[in-house]
Amino acid sequence: MPNISRDACLFEGLDSPEREDARRVGALYDLIPQGLGEGHCESLVSYLRRLAFAHGVSVDDLVIKVLSSYSSVDFAIWRHFSTWSRRSSINIYTPQRTVPLRDALLQATGVQSLGLLSFATLEGVIDLSRMSSAIERYCPMCDDSVPFDQVSHPMLWDLKMVSCCPVHAVRLVPNTCGKDISEHRSRWCRIHLPGVCVKCGALAYRCNRQPQLPATSTEMWIARQSAALIAAISGGERFSANSLREGIVSMASVVGGGYPFRAASQCGINKARLHDWIHGVRPIGYSPLLALVAAAGVDLLDVMRGAFEPKEVIGFRYSSCPRRKQTQASDELRQKIQTALDDPDCPSVTAVSALLGCDRSTLKKLYPLECSQLVVKWQSKRSSDTRKRRAEAFSEMSAIAETLRSAGKEITVRNVWIQSGVLAGKGSRYEAALRVERDKGREDL
Ligand SMILES: [Zn+2]
Ligand SMILES: [Zn+2]
């Protein structure tokens, strides 16, 4: 149960004896992660959001003000963590982010099972890079069927390979807000709870009524295999790279009819890569592993455990990432950069390189002069834009101040906000304008 005395020292000075005491026992509530040992086990960021809600603080405050003291990593550089767009990669595994967040949470809450809320225990066993989905998705039926206090975001939905819910057999949908931008909440009033739309605050993403599409049998197979793997990981099971390697050799032999390397063409994977996986040069990726498992007609979890029996062959083939476009001729590239230089919108080097489909550093190496000209133009455009915005802020503020003065009200941040909805807080471009107007009011007195 939550302990009030622990809560009281949340934001106090770091060196106070109470704080030290709290650090030993774990200062935060010891919330138990949901769905441990199940396919729908919740993710690390889902846990973090629920923990912040339980303490009545924002996710940003919890991470920056409390968790920072439990880690050598400066969490302040993760500003706007709660709106960070790549949180699914934390939930799967990113060494620089998953590990510090997990360790800090573990120390702050004292809940040991937090270590099981990601794919971290599979590091070195399979290749964990590029496993997470680029966009956040959810099952439209899961949130409706779960009681409010048990809503969480499962790790399963963040796996790129998984495209449907294994329980409801419907496709996952991206949780983009369906409401008009005028109905969005300001950044500081957003609620960060699993199942709640960050943009408009709609419960169970009701703002987003996309059609429910049935999943195909292959999609369901992938979702079920992945859910079984997550159930094993979150249940505390450990796997060894060696037994998986042996499993790959056996599967490839089955698929290739006794010739392991023939499996490569059957599953759509690269032969050289298969050689590497068989000889333990590098760990196998999740997608080609599933392709091998499907072709051999076995269960992924059995393969990971090192013992499997053939069941039913699934028609799933691996398809590699699309190759980059062919490099363009240098004259053609120079011509395009010249066009970008003449563009009145002054695009940045990054924008130009994205447009040309080549890397930013390559572009800088090949055309240093043109790139430096692009940078100069872009910077001057930006600073003129900033000047323009600042001037607009000053004129807007003077109009607001005029209205407030005529109403006999004082010019304060609060009154300005109530009057016009402009937040002239610290660091905003209205801050200086407000100060000027306030000083003007004092001079008049
Ligand atoms: Zn579902
Ligand atoms: Zn919404």
Side-chain angles (χ1 to χ4, degrees):
M1 276 301 286
N3 183 335
I4 301 302
S5 66
R6 289 181 189 179
D7 188 28
C9 59
L10 263 184
F11 294 118
E12 277 175 18
L14 299 187
D15 304 322
S16 65
E18 298 88 15
R19 175 89 198 185
E20 281 304 312
D21 216 30
R23 196 178 290 193
R24 273 197 297 278
V25 296
L28 303 180
Y29 299 159
D30 45 359
L31 275 189
I32 302 301
Q34 283 180 2
L36 283 172
E38 293 170 19
H40 260 58
C41 178
E42 81 170 320
S43 64
L44 198 61
V45 175
S46 166
Y47 180 86
L48 176 74
R49 289 165 162 196
R50 291 197 306 113
L51 190 70
F53 185 74
H55 287 88
V57 295
S58 72
V59 178
D60 288 327
D61 281 349
L62 189 77
V63 171
I64 295 166
K65 294 187 182 170
V66 184
L67 292 184
S68 284
S69 58
Y70 291 91
S71 179
S72 56
V73 173
D74 181 14
F75 286 124
I77 58 167
W78 294 14
R79 268 197 70 73
H80 305 308
F81 174 86
S82 43
T83 49
W84 200 46
S85 58
R86 294 284 298 170
R87 62 177 82 92
S88 58
S89 60
I90 296 186
N91 291 336
I92 302 303
Y93 183 67
T94 310
Q96 300 88 347
R97 291 189 186 256
T98 312
V99 174
L101 180 67
R102 179 197 67 191
D103 293 349
L105 273 171
L106 206 146
Q107 277 194 48
T109 58
V111 178
Q112 296 299 315
S113 53
L114 274 176
L116 307 170
L117 295 190
S118 69
F119 278 63
T121 51
L122 283 185
E123 210 208 348
V125 181
I126 59 173
D127 180 6
L128 295 172
S129 56
R130 300 179 299 281
M131 252 177 96
S132 58
S133 158
I135 40 169
E136 207 176 33
R137 302 161 307 162
Y138 72 101
C139 164
M141 289 171 81
C142 271
D143 284 350
D144 282 344
S145 57
V146 174
F148 171 72
D149 58 342
Q150 287 168 28
V151 173
S152 62
H153 183 94
M155 268 192 262
L156 185 71
W157 296 347
D158 286 329
L159 272 177
K160 189 162 67 180
M161 285 299 294
V162 174
S163 56
C164 70
C165 170
V167 181
H168 300 104
V170 291
R171 292 233 174 103
L172 300 180
V173 287
N175 64 353
T176 43
C177 182
K179 283 199 179 166
D180 190 67
I181 199 155
S182 61
E183 291 180 78
H184 287 182
R185 312 181 66 144
S186 84
R187 174 153 291 182
W188 308 111
C189 302
R190 289 179 184 177
I191 295 150
H192 298 285
L193 257 184
V196 179
C197 175
V198 179
K199 295 271 170 64
C200 74
L203 295 180
Y205 302 117
R206 290 236 160 74
C207 57
N208 178 12
R209 279 290 169 231
Q210 294 193 24
Q212 291 178 7
L213 300 172
T216 65
S217 59
T218 309
E219 285 175 324
M220 279 298 283
W221 177 81
I222 294 174
R224 283 204 198 102
Q225 297 289 326
S226 307
L229 179 62
I230 289 174
I233 300 170
S234 63
E237 193 170 340
R238 297 294 173 110
F239 299 97
S240 91
N242 219 18
S243 57
L244 177 61
R245 197 183 60 77
E246 284 165 15
I248 292 170
V249 177
S250 320
M251 278 193 301
S253 300
V254 170
V255 177
Y259 300 93
F261 292 104
R262 285 187 188 168
S265 61
Q266 287 205 36
C267 301
I269 50 186
N270 186 303
K271 207 173 190 175
R273 282 289 160 94
L274 182 61
H275 175 274
D276 287 357
W277 301 327
I278 285 177
H279 291 93
V281 177
R282 63 173 94 199
I284 189 170
Y286 190 58
S287 175
L289 175 61
L290 277 176
L292 266 174
V293 169
V298 292
D299 270 344
L300 173 65
L301 206 53
D302 293 345
V303 174
M304 302 282 292
R305 285 171 178 154
F308 60 82
E309 277 180 20
K311 285 178 185 162
E312 186 194 352
V313 176
I314 309 291
F316 166 67
R317 269 174 69 89
Y318 172 71
S319 56
S320 58
C321 299
R323 282 180 185 276
R324 281 186 172 217
K325 276 188 278 176
Q326 282 269 306
T327 318
Q328 300 168 56
S330 64
D331 283 351
E332 208 179 321
L333 271 179
R334 194 187 294 274
Q335 183 78 43
K336 284 181 179 167
I337 296 176
Q338 206 56 50
T339 321
L341 269 170
D342 299 334
D343 191 339
D345 278 346
C346 310
S348 64
V349 178
T350 314
V352 174
S353 60
L355 190 76
L356 301 183
C358 76
D359 201 73
R360 185 169 167 270
S361 52
T362 313
L363 203 66
K364 274 188 157 176
K365 258 182 233 161
L366 288 175
Y367 307 103
L369 185 69
E370 282 85 351
C371 283
S372 60
Q373 284 174 342
L374 271 175
V375 170
V376 169
K377 275 193 79 177
W378 180 75
Q379 279 177 343
S380 69
K381 164 94 181 346
R382 228 175 89 117
S383 66
S384 81
D385 281 355
T386 310
R387 273 200 301 278
K388 212 166 92 188
R389 274 204 302 275
R390 202 168 288 159
E392 276 169 11
F394 267 85
S395 65
E396 203 179 326
M397 187 55 76
S398 92
I400 297 165
E402 201 52 55
T403 325
L404 283 175
R405 263 190 228 110
S406 60
K409 284 181 187 161
E410 214 179 320
I411 298 160
T412 59
V413 176
R414 184 173 176 274
N415 283 347
V416 166
W417 186 66
I418 291 170
Q419 171 69 32
S420 60
V422 166
L423 190 59
K426 219 174 180 183
S428 101
R429 64 176 184 275
Y430 293 97
E431 190 195 2
L434 178 91
R435 220 181 301 126
V436 169
E437 290 300 330
R438 198 185 274 164
D439 292 347
K440 219 191 273 174
R442 281 195 194 125
E443 278 165 25
D444 292 348
L445 282 172

